[in-house]
């Protein structure tokens, strides 16, 4: 091998070794967790882990009427074994996601099958005698859907959809629809925060750009100070400031601008104020960086050619800071989608974002499949909107270079 080729290979190998820790870090903290979440959203193994005979035998059922006698017997044997191992709660919980009353059916049937397993019984009649639900197709259809190892049940539930008795996708009952509205609310709040933050970022960045060194340094410290404070502390501070006896209402009452305290907390207003304050630095810094790349002599040249201040701004200055505005807006929007603590503390019941319901299904109902599906839906919505944004703005204009 020629020396030049050998040295080139050595340089490439060295470069690969240098980026190897970064690749390993990204795999460990980003791609592997994301992949696990996506896998969990379609994995459906709870019922099969406790009722393996049932999951195996019901796979041959065509979904019409009631299954054959071997499937009835498999359910009886599995629930008898689950009663002995105290694991009947697992399939009961899984089927309750489909219909809440199925939890009691599984639990009561398992309780009735305690003791030695009775051989030679006709379970097609004995199971309905234990609970009439076993004589109806609904519970068998739910078991068939939950047999695993994978299903679209949780993904459909995250979109307020479900499969009907015929296996066709249909909308969930009106009283069960929740998550599409929550997703739209999350996108709406994130968009509103982004617009407000950008409107505030433009004058803030311009002031930082044009102020003297001392004043600019002081203002930069004020801007970055929230980033050095805990998110929980900042959210709690806004609760104190915005409450009826807080600083804002007290000041407005003393100046006579209002006759009674305003409702600024535990509603959408409080969420928007706090999120805008928290995310404002992420909008200001990219805009400021873009402004610093604009030569001052261009606006001076426009003025010398007769352009007024507004025309100079919109024709010369604004087009050159669009990359900073795009970067700041995209950053604020994506960050706003994932906030949990701030809406929880400052918002009302109708102001919670999708991360609240992800946490609720993870910690309260222990419905990991639905929580993962909600996360997958939020991730897909983020990528979709990012793609639309890039399509409209252009990838070359989302940056600071």
């Amino acid at each position: 091998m020629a020396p030049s080729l050998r040295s080139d290979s050595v340089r490439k190998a060295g470069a690969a070794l240098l980026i190897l820790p970064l690749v390993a870090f990204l795999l460990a903290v980003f791609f592997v967790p994301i992949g696990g979440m996506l896998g969990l959203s379609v994995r459906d193994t709870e019922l099969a882990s406790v009722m393996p005979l049932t999951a195996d035998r019901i796979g041959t059922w065509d979904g019409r009427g009631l299954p054959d006698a071997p499937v009835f017997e498999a359910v009886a044997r599995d629930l008898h074994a689950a009663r002995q191992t105290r694991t009947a709660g697992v399939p009961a919980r899984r089927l309750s996601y489909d219909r809440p009353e199925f939890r009691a059916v599984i639990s009561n049937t398992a309780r009735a099958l305690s003791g030695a397993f009775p051989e030679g019984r006709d379970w097609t009649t004995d199971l309905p005698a234990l609970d009439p639900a076993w004589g109806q197709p609904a519970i068998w259809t739910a078991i068939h859907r939950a047999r695993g190892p994978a299903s679209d049940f949780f993904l459909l539930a995250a979109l307020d959809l479900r499969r009907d008795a015929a296996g066709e996708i249909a909308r969930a009952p009106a009283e069960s629809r929740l998550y599409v509205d929550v997703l739209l609310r999350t996108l709406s709040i994130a968009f509103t925060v982004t617009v407000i933050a950008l409107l505030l970022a433009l004058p803030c960045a311009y002031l930082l750009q044009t102020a003297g060194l001392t004043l600019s340094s002081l203002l930069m410290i004020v801007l970055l100070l929230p980033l050095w404070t805990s998110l929980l502390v900042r959210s709690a501070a806004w609760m104190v400031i915005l409450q009826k006896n807080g600083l804002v209402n007290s000041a407005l009452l003393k100046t006579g601008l209002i006759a009674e305290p305003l409702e600024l907390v535990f509603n959408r207003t409080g969420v928007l104020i706090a999120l805008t304050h928290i995310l404002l630095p992420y909008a200001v810094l990219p805009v400021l960086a873009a402004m610093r790349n604009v030569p001052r002599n261009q606006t001076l040249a426009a003025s010398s050619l007769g352009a007024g201040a507004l025309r100079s701004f919109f024709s010369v200055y604004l087009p050159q800071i669009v990359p900073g505005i795009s970067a700041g807006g995209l950053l604020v929007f994506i960050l706003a989608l994932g906030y949990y603590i701030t809406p929880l503390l400052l918002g009302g019941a109708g102001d919670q974002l999708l991360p609240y319901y992800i946490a609720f299904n993870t910690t309260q109902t222990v419905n990991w499949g639905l929580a993962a599906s909600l996360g997958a839906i939020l991730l897909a919505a983020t990528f979709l909107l990012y793609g639309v944004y890039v399509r409209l703005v252009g990838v070359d204009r989302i940056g600071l270079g």
Side-chain angles (χ1 to χ4, degrees):
M1 182 181 292
S4 60
L5 294 177
R6 187 182 302 111
S7 62
D8 187 55
S9 299
V10 170
R11 284 196 299 270
K12 290 181 178 179
L17 289 175
L18 287 175
I19 67 171
L20 187 59
L22 175 61
V23 173
F25 177 78
L26 288 175
L27 284 174
V29 304
F30 184 76
F31 292 107
V32 171
I34 292 295
M37 180 190 71
L38 296 177
L40 192 60
S41 66
V42 296
R43 189 164 66 244
D44 198 352
T45 58
E46 282 187 285
L47 185 136
S49 66
V50 178
M51 302 177 66
L53 290 175
T54 303
D56 179 60
R57 292 182 181 176
I58 204 171
T60 60
W61 180 46
D62 60 6
R64 291 178 291 184
L66 296 176
D68 298 332
V71 182
F72 277 83
E73 183 179 353
V75 169
R77 289 187 179 276
D78 282 335
L79 290 181
H80 175 264
R83 173 66 176 176
Q84 308 305 313
T85 57
R86 301 180 182 276
T87 56
V90 175
R93 181 179 65 242
R94 169 58 186 86
L95 293 180
S96 71
Y97 300 154
D98 201 299
R99 285 175 59 172
E101 60 268 25
F102 289 161
R103 179 188 291 271
V105 174
I106 296 295
S107 301
N108 293 338
T109 304
R111 193 177 302 113
L113 292 172
S114 58
F117 184 76
E119 300 288 350
R121 293 174 58 174
D122 182 9
W123 292 107
T124 58
T125 57
D126 289 348
L127 271 184
L130 295 177
D131 195 300
W134 295 111
Q136 304 296 324
I139 192 168
W140 297 105
T141 302
I143 292 175
H144 188 266
R145 285 196 292 262
R147 70 188 186 279
S151 74
D152 58 4
F153 176 81
F154 297 111
L155 283 173
L156 291 177
L159 294 171
D160 292 337
L161 301 172
R162 62 188 305 174
R163 291 193 179 273
D164 57 21
E168 300 295 330
I169 297 176
R171 295 189 70 186
E175 64 274 10
S176 302
R177 296 174 200 162
L178 171 65
Y179 297 115
V180 170
D181 288 341
V182 172
L183 176 61
L184 295 176
R185 179 199 308 160
T186 301
L187 296 174
S188 173
I189 290 177
F191 178 77
T192 305
V193 169
T194 301
V195 171
I196 297 173
L198 288 177
L199 290 176
L200 295 176
L202 287 171
C204 288
Y206 187 77
L207 180 59
L208 286 167
Q209 168 67 8
T210 56
L213 181 61
T214 302
L215 180 57
S216 177
S217 300
L218 179 61
L219 293 176
M220 183 65 73
I221 292 175
V222 173
L223 175 69
L224 297 179
L225 188 61
L227 298 180
W228 305 336
T229 310
S230 166
L231 177 62
L232 181 60
V233 172
R234 281 178 280 170
S235 301
W238 275 112
M239 290 181 65
V240 175
I241 294 171
L242 296 177
Q243 63 179 318
K244 286 188 175 182
N245 297 323
L247 296 177
V248 173
N249 274 313
S250 298
L252 293 175
L253 287 170
K254 287 181 179 178
T255 56
L257 295 177
I258 58 175
E260 58 183 18
L262 300 175
E263 296 289 343
L264 299 176
V265 74
F266 307 127
N267 53 30
R268 186 70 55 87
T269 302
V271 173
L272 293 177
I273 291 174
L275 283 181
T276 301
H277 167 255
I278 291 169
L279 295 175
L280 184 59
Y282 299 100
V284 172
L285 294 178
V287 175
L288 176 61
M291 286 181 174
R292 287 177 173 172
N293 288 331
V294 179
R296 181 175 175 80
N297 57 10
Q298 291 186 359
T299 54
L300 294 176
S303 300
S304 66
L305 293 173
L310 288 178
R311 186 172 183 182
S312 296
F313 176 78
F314 285 104
S315 300
V316 178
Y317 198 73
L318 183 60
Q320 297 187 74
I321 64 172
V322 165
I325 296 174
S326 301
L330 193 61
L331 185 59
V332 170
F333 181 80
I334 292 177
L335 289 174
L337 289 176
Y339 269 81
Y340 166 67
I341 291 294
T342 303
L344 180 65
L345 294 179
L346 291 160
D351 304 306
Q352 301 307 312
L353 307 187
L354 200 58
Y356 168 83
Y357 293 92
I358 295 174
F360 178 81
N361 282 288
T362 301
T363 60
Q364 300 297 319
T365 64
V366 200
N367 191 343
W368 289 86
L370 182 55
S373 295
L374 291 172
I377 295 298
L378 184 60
L379 180 66
T382 303
F383 278 125
L384 178 62
L385 291 172
Y386 174 76
V388 172
Y389 192 79
V390 169
R391 183 85 174 177
L392 294 175
V393 177
V395 68
D396 57 325
R397 299 186 69 80
I398 302 180
L400 302 177

